[in-house]
Amino acid sequence: MIFALALCTTLLQAQMEGHWPREIPLDNGGKVVIYQPQPEHYSGNQLEARAAVQVKKSAAAEPVFGALWVEARVSTNRDTRMMSLETVKVRDVRFPDTLETAQIDALKQLLETEIPKWELEFSLDELLATLEQERNNGSDA
């Protein structure tokens, strides 16, 4: 059973690796980079995940790394068992160096606008296997 879960997780990572990290260019030469999200909870058509994020405010600026948490509404094709994002709500963004509230709000708005444009698809079965593995890892602690 553990081998099957590890295999499913590896397959999910391989499938998603072609999509990650994702960059959003900024008008001033900077960029926002989102690294592969890690699912935390899935119920009904709601998915919660977290991801590392890098913000480079301009082309010359040093990158700042942080984390973000999202809630997404997904649609599932039961025949193919594939899922796609419908909407994304950025629940929280945190950086070790405090950014101004206005900057955080602007980042949230940018992400909520851009992420749905990526038309991401992923496997329901692999998502469930990843969540199961996370639950099992959490119970081992």
Side-chain angles (χ1 to χ4, degrees):
M1 180 68 170
I2 292 174
F3 175 75
L5 289 175
L7 179 60
C8 287
T9 299
T10 302
L11 291 173
L12 175 62
Q13 289 172 344
Q15 178 184 12
M16 297 302 282
E17 281 175 4
H19 298 289
W20 303 103
R22 290 287 188 123
E23 292 186 10
I24 302 170
L26 303 176
D27 292 338
N28 62 2
K31 64 182 175 181
V32 176
V33 179
I34 308 293
Y35 295 89
Q36 183 174 346
Q38 301 300 311
E40 293 185 327
H41 181 74
Y42 171 67
S43 179
N45 67 344
Q46 299 295 315
L47 175 64
E48 296 176 10
R50 68 186 182 283
V53 62
Q54 171 194 330
V55 176
K56 195 170 176 187
K57 293 181 186 180
S58 69
E62 289 295 316
V64 178
F65 292 88
L68 63 94
W69 288 262
V70 298
E71 296 173 351
R73 189 174 71 227
V74 296
S75 63
T76 305
N77 181 323
R78 299 283 180 201
D79 294 332
T80 63
R81 300 194 57 81
M82 293 298 290
M83 304 175 75
S84 59
L85 295 180
E86 290 183 350
T87 62
V88 174
K89 170 83 172 130
V90 178
R91 191 176 69 221
D92 195 11
V93 179
R94 295 185 198 156
F95 291 91
D97 299 326
T98 305
L99 294 179
E100 295 177 20
T101 302
Q103 291 174 319
I104 295 288
D105 291 343
L107 178 60
K108 286 181 179 181
Q109 184 177 12
L110 174 68
L111 295 172
E112 289 173 357
T113 301
E114 293 298 318
I115 292 173
K117 293 179 184 177
W118 295 343
E119 299 180 5
L120 297 173
E121 285 193 333
F122 47 96
S123 164
L124 171 62
D125 296 322
E126 292 168 357
L127 170 70
L128 295 174
T130 299
L131 289 168
E132 180 66 25
Q133 182 179 15
E134 286 296 316
R135 266 193 302 276
N136 289 340
N137 288 343
S139 66
D140 292 344

